[in-house]
Amino acid sequence: MLLQIPIKPIPILEILVNKNIRLFIKREDLIHPQISGNKYWKLFYNINNYLESQPEKPLIITFGGAYSNHISSVSTVGNLAGIQTLGIIRGEELEKKWKDNPTLVAAKRNGMNLKFVSREEYRNKEKLTEFLRQEFPDSLIIPEGGTNENAVQGIKMMLNNDTKDFDYLCTAVGTGGTIAGISMFCEENQTVVGFNVVEDSSLEHRILELTSRRNFHLTDAAFGGYGKINDENIRFINDFKTKHKIPLDPVYTGKMMQKIFEMIDADYFPEGSKILCFHTGGLQGIEGANAFLEKQNRNLII
Ligand SMILES: Cc1ncc(COP(=O)(O)O)c(C=O)c1O
């Protein structure tokens, strides 16, 4: 593989020494500031396969919420590769307010056309997709979060010789494509732990549609719901950055990391365990989160 992603140990912390746990983080976030972490790999085959089919007027259509990392990544790919992109955005109220949202401003700047739809229309994505397929028959329609079978194949590339020597592989979970790929392609003796940031009872079932292995556990890390930011987690993220010089985002990786430390404290991982966390990026979301926190006079993410 062309990209060499560093694996960085979390240095000696008292809690890790006392429990004899070794904790490492794989910096997929360093791939690219916008197309970072798992997004890069989930889009890899989706977009390359589409371009190989040599569409006459390439168009990529996808779905996302107001602060979506996936929307940010797809718009950036479109900009870099000179491909037209269309983002279907959840929430028609955003049509008047998109200028207050750094993710949507950046997507527009990348040349993405935005179509705002009501939450109800958005929920009925099959109908919407069918309509888009008829309207734009040559387009590539990528599901929300980029999750599909091509994405799962792409995630395989997050695993290599360097990741084989770990007992636990940890990732944040949204739509489930990333954990499905890790589960599908990791070593037999490895356990995958998914930190679910969305409260969604159908998630496990959807992951099992994408992986044939039951080698993963899902752990709740929603901290009050998807996209909810709590002050304790902000303190954790800021502390982590100061100590380890590694930025975390408040929707996925910050929650995963805080939860891992809580689980180490609660002896979830047996003594002697070697744990690898995937830093799946999402740092573009910090600006939007800070704009929101500032309005509420709360502490910001540094
Ligand atoms: C930063 C970050 N981490 C984790 C995830 C979860 O990935 P998935 O939707 O494949 O479960 C996402 C969503 O793509 C994300 O943006």
Side-chain angles (χ1 to χ4, degrees):
M1 194 56 233
L2 292 174
L3 288 159
Q4 200 66 40
I5 315 288
I7 292 183
K8 189 175 166 14
I10 306 296
I12 317 298
L13 299 176
E14 213 175 320
I15 179 176
L16 300 178
V17 177
N18 291 347
K19 307 266 182 186
N20 188 18
I21 298 273
R22 284 166 296 163
L23 181 62
F24 292 74
I25 188 159
K26 187 159 183 270
R27 300 288 311 272
E28 305 286 340
D29 59 307
L30 298 176
I31 295 175
H32 185 277
Q34 270 79 40
I35 320 164
S36 70
N38 57 344
K39 266 71 59 193
Y40 185 93
W41 301 119
K42 286 198 283 186
L43 293 175
F44 190 87
Y45 288 117
N46 274 301
I47 295 181
N48 282 330
N49 292 355
Y50 174 61
L51 294 180
E52 268 173 28
S53 74
Q54 301 191 324
E56 214 171 290
K57 276 196 195 156
L59 167 66
I60 303 174
I61 305 176
T62 196
F63 304 83
Y67 296 97
S68 166
N69 296 320
H70 172 65
I71 288 288
S72 168
S73 300
V74 171
S75 73
T76 307
V77 172
N79 187 24
L80 293 175
I83 303 169
Q84 187 65 58
T85 53
L86 168 62
I88 310 293
I89 309 297
R90 180 179 55 225
E92 53 198 343
E93 75 283 357
L94 291 164
E95 181 138 30
K96 293 199 184 86
K97 297 193 289 190
W98 67 267
K99 284 191 182 140
D100 299 336
N101 178 309
T103 302
L104 298 179
V105 169
K108 277 257 195 193
R109 208 184 307 124
N110 282 331
M112 182 177 250
N113 288 315
L114 300 180
K115 179 165 169 50
F116 299 91
V117 299
S118 68
R119 283 172 169 69
E120 199 185 329
E121 272 181 284
Y122 190 90
R123 225 171 290 127
N124 202 346
K125 274 189 233 59
E126 278 104 56
K127 194 170 159 201
L128 208 52
T129 304
E130 199 37 54
F131 169 78
L132 291 163
R133 223 185 282 291
Q134 282 176 20
E135 191 82 357
F136 306 104
D138 279 349
S139 66
L140 168 66
I141 303 179
I142 305 179
E144 180 180 50
T147 285
N148 57 16
E149 280 173 15
N150 279 336
V152 170
Q153 292 298 321
I155 292 294
K156 183 179 182 182
M157 288 190 278
M158 289 184 5
L159 303 169
N160 56 29
N161 268 339
D162 298 342
T163 63
K164 284 187 180 159
D165 186 29
F166 290 89
D167 306 304
Y168 291 90
L169 302 175
C170 300
T171 184
V173 181
T175 55
T178 306
I179 190 171
I182 297 172
S183 149
M184 191 75 186
F185 298 110
C186 70
E187 301 299 302
E188 293 257 317
N189 60 334
Q190 294 181 311
T191 301
V192 186
V193 186
F195 296 79
N196 182 9
V197 303
V198 189
E199 281 160 344
D200 176 356
S201 55
S202 70
L203 189 62
E204 182 162 2
H205 170 74
R206 285 191 283 118
I207 295 169
L208 285 168
E209 285 178 346
L210 292 165
T211 173
S212 52
R213 298 167 90 188
R214 283 187 177 267
N215 53 359
F216 64 91
H217 300 288
L218 284 179
T219 302
D220 175 36
F223 293 78
Y226 177 71
K228 293 276 185 306
I229 307 175
N230 85 26
D231 292 328
E232 192 197 338
N233 192 233
I234 295 174
R235 268 195 298 281
F236 175 87
I237 289 171
N238 288 345
D239 223 44
F240 194 84
K241 186 171 177 190
T242 308
K243 278 196 189 117
H244 308 300
K245 310 281 172 272
I246 300 175
L248 301 171
D249 82 292
V251 179
Y252 294 96
T253 54
K255 288 178 170 179
M256 168 184 74
M257 220 59 214
Q258 183 180 338
K259 188 81 186 180
I260 287 176
F261 278 98
E262 287 170 10
M263 287 164 65
I264 292 172
D265 204 29
D267 294 328
Y268 175 93
F269 301 101
E271 215 187 300
S273 296
K274 201 172 168 196
I275 307 168
L276 180 64
C277 320
F278 289 95
H279 192 319
T280 42
L283 301 174
Q284 69 83 31
I286 292 177
E287 196 185 341
N290 275 342
F292 169 80
L293 293 167
E294 201 166 9
K295 275 192 200 142
Q296 300 194 335
N297 257 336
R298 289 165 62 189
N299 282 341
L300 304 186
I301 300 161
I302 54 174

